[in-house]
Amino acid sequence: MYRKLKPLIAIGVVAATAISLAGCAPAESSGKTTITIAGPNQWNTDPQSFGPAWEDLVARFEAAEPNIEVKTVVLPLTEFYQTLSTQLAAGTAPELVFNQASHKPDQVVALDDYFNQPNPYIEGNTKWIDAFNPDYIGGESNVGRNAAQHYEFVPFNLYLSGIYYNKDVFAAAGIDEPPATYGDLIEDCKAITAAGYTPLAFDNSYLAQESVVKPITSMLLTKYFDELNYYGPDGKPGTSKQISVKDFAKGVLTGEFTPENTPEIGEAYTLAKQVVDECATPNWSGVATTGAAFTGAQEFLSGKAGMSFGANFSANSLDDVSWDYGTLPFPTVTKQDSPLATGEPARSGANTGGTSYMIPATTEGDKLDAAVKFLQFASSPVGIQPWLDKTGGIPALADAAPAPGLEGLTTGDWALSPTVPQPSLLPKAVLGQSIYTGYLTGNKSLDDQLAETMANWTTGAKEVAADGKWTDDWVQQ
């Protein structure tokens, strides 16, 4: 499957002039309740708007609720995380904020009671929570809860990334089929370099590094599923279909699962470094991210690179290049590539790391009611489907459909969630930072990287335990 690309959009957010939320709350329109939604731009380079599809969503909501007015504050890549985190801590955040800002559970509204009531925009719905696909939020697994076991955000869409490749570059390099295994990838990178192109457009962003490290790590760790599977979805002793943050935290703080005693962690780093050494843009650590749809976006879009990492947001929103593209998952690490391999295909799975919003705990009265209504509208098929279709969206709702043209990312093993994902235990202080740069550039040894990983995991495990107010004996170790 391939299509012509359209003009460049943002997969994450774009760098633009910072907009402070403090003191910028809009005045109430006559007879209307005004709410503000603040977050990063994931669809275009406009510092003032999330784009026409978003404006249409807001307009349709305002038509359905004429006594509510919605304002949008677009935040830049370099500042949205710090801005919203600071505002949440200070109690000055607007009524709706992007959920990837650092916060404690008590800084946002718990949505549990609302989820157990009908969504008024879905005919026949008796519980809002039942409208979601239980693989992503709700259901018997209770996925989507925070460390305190409360629902706190509503996903408007899901996030799924993968590799985009330039078919013309592959043809010039004599590559007939995209790489299926890790070994194929390394050989293809050598062929693309020999043909005069950069194999993998890369930059110094956390996204670029994670796109290599994460799938390799999860592939190698699948053998630890039974060993790590200690807690059920409710955070109590039991089992789950996927290893949770609490499972990982227990393993780290008890010393049962650490980077030093789990050789697959070091092997994943080693394999990731080989990909970067053989495939990535030369001197990539000096290439600043543009916050755009692809890693190394300028190089990839200009036709100078064979591959780049991108997400579902990229496919429907790019145009005007002279070459065709294809999509593929990260190739499988086989026994021929590493003696520690399981041979299982790489998995990524769509997740709620896309566009999700929550309500600060300081929101009250009519503004709270209005904010809840907007979240309900944006999580109803009639409200969200037109926006999904125009933005390359994948729905979290059971009765909505993915945008057309995403089949390359949404089918096969890659579309399934990994049973043992990469441990999500980074401390808040380093979230979003390019933490592997020293190792991937050769300026830090593997032992040093493993020690740094252990320090980060320990801090992260203690933070999430404190946020969740866990009382398990091992938390005190």
Side-chain angles (χ1 to χ4, degrees):
M1 185 280 296
Y2 67 88
R3 306 199 342 242
K4 294 289 186 180
L5 294 172
K6 303 177 183 175
L8 179 63
I9 60 156
I11 186 177
V13 290
V14 297
T17 303
I19 300 175
S20 173
L21 298 182
C24 69
E28 296 291 328
S29 301
S30 177
K32 292 187 177 183
T33 298
T34 301
I35 58 173
T36 297
I37 184 167
N41 194 335
Q42 298 171 286
W43 306 278
N44 59 66
T45 57
D46 188 339
Q48 302 298 325
S49 171
F50 292 162
W54 176 263
E55 301 303 332
D56 172 68
L57 171 63
V58 170
R60 288 185 290 109
F61 171 72
E62 292 178 337
E65 298 290 344
N67 292 323
I68 300 175
E69 183 176 13
V70 179
K71 301 292 186 182
T72 302
V73 172
V74 180
L75 296 174
L77 171 65
T78 56
E79 299 182 21
F80 89 89
Y81 180 87
Q82 185 60 49
T83 297
L84 294 180
S85 299
T86 300
Q87 295 289 336
L88 283 167
T92 57
E95 291 75 27
L96 289 161
V97 297
F98 194 62
N99 80 314
Q100 292 182 35
S102 176
H103 64 282
K104 295 181 179 180
D106 60 3
Q107 291 174 345
V108 296
V109 173
L111 298 175
D112 303 59
D113 289 343
Y114 295 105
F115 275 1
N116 284 321
Q117 299 172 20
N119 182 328
Y121 305 102
I122 304 177
E123 184 177 358
N125 175 257
T126 57
K127 285 187 177 181
W128 183 6
I129 191 66
D130 293 340
F132 296 100
N133 184 326
D135 288 339
Y136 306 118
I137 188 166
E140 293 181 0
S141 64
N142 290 319
V143 292
R145 292 184 183 270
N146 60 22
Q149 295 301 307
H150 293 302
Y151 296 111
E152 65 179 18
F153 66 83
V154 170
F156 297 178
N157 63 18
L158 302 174
Y159 175 83
L160 177 62
S161 65
I163 298 175
Y164 286 72
Y165 68 97
N166 183 323
K167 290 196 170 186
D168 291 354
V169 171
F170 271 47
I175 301 171
D176 296 326
E177 296 290 339
T181 70
Y182 177 94
D184 293 340
L185 175 64
I186 299 301
E187 290 303 312
D188 287 350
C189 286
K190 294 176 180 178
I192 293 171
T193 299
Y197 297 91
T198 295
L200 176 63
F202 215 67
D203 54 39
N204 61 13
S205 67
Y206 176 72
L207 173 63
Q209 297 181 10
E210 272 292 273
S211 295
V212 180
V213 175
K214 186 175 182 178
I216 296 176
T217 302
S218 63
M219 271 189 279
L220 298 186
L221 290 181
T222 55
K223 65 188 70 170
Y224 292 97
F225 178 76
D226 290 335
E227 179 180 330
L228 291 169
N229 200 355
Y230 186 83
Y231 289 102
D234 58 359
K236 298 178 181 179
T239 58
S240 185
K241 295 180 180 179
Q242 184 182 59
I243 301 305
S244 68
V245 171
K246 192 170 185 179
D247 289 321
F248 282 127
K250 176 181 180 293
V252 170
L253 294 183
T254 60
E256 298 168 359
F257 178 78
T258 71
E260 289 90 344
N261 67 17
T262 308
E264 286 77 11
I265 302 298
E267 181 73 347
Y269 290 166
T270 301
L271 293 172
K273 188 176 188 307
Q274 185 178 4
V275 171
V276 173
D277 288 345
E278 295 285 353
C279 305
T281 301
N283 302 315
W284 57 268
S285 61
V287 179
T289 178
T290 61
F294 299 104
T295 59
Q298 293 180 341
E299 187 175 33
F300 184 59
L301 294 174
S302 66
K304 297 178 181 178
M307 293 174 283
S308 177
F309 293 110
N312 50 294
F313 301 148
S314 308
N316 279 1
S317 304
L318 301 175
D319 201 4
D320 293 341
V321 297
S322 59
W323 40 270
D324 296 328
Y325 81 86
T327 58
L328 66 142
F330 196 93
T332 300
V333 177
T334 68
K335 288 289 187 181
Q336 288 70 40
D337 304 317
S338 169
L340 298 180
T342 64
E344 294 187 28
R347 290 184 173 192
S348 177
N351 60 68
T352 54
T355 306
S356 299
Y357 277 83
M358 56 191 180
I359 305 172
T362 50
T363 307
E364 300 177 338
D366 290 343
K367 288 182 176 290
L368 174 58
D369 293 340
V372 170
K373 286 183 178 180
F374 186 79
L375 293 181
Q376 290 173 326
F377 186 80
S379 56
S380 68
V382 66
I384 206 65
Q385 190 67 63
W387 180 75
L388 291 170
D389 290 342
K390 295 176 182 178
T391 59
I394 299 174
L397 295 175
D399 292 329
L406 298 176
E407 294 78 13
L409 297 177
T410 59
T411 58
D413 289 290
W414 186 251
L416 303 175
S417 296
T419 56
V420 185
Q422 181 190 34
S424 300
L425 289 175
L426 290 183
K428 296 171 185 176
V430 301
L431 286 176
Q433 295 183 20
S434 305
I435 59 175
Y436 304 110
T437 298
Y439 173 69
L440 294 177
T441 57
N443 294 318
K444 181 183 294 183
S445 70
L446 177 60
D447 286 342
D448 286 344
Q449 183 62 52
L450 292 172
E452 182 179 303
T453 299
M454 181 60 186
N456 281 334
W457 284 7
T458 301
T459 301
K462 291 180 178 178
E463 284 183 353
V464 72
D467 287 348
K469 299 180 180 179
W470 298 340
T471 58
D472 307 74
D473 292 341
W474 54 264
V475 173
Q476 309 304 321
Q477 297 188 21

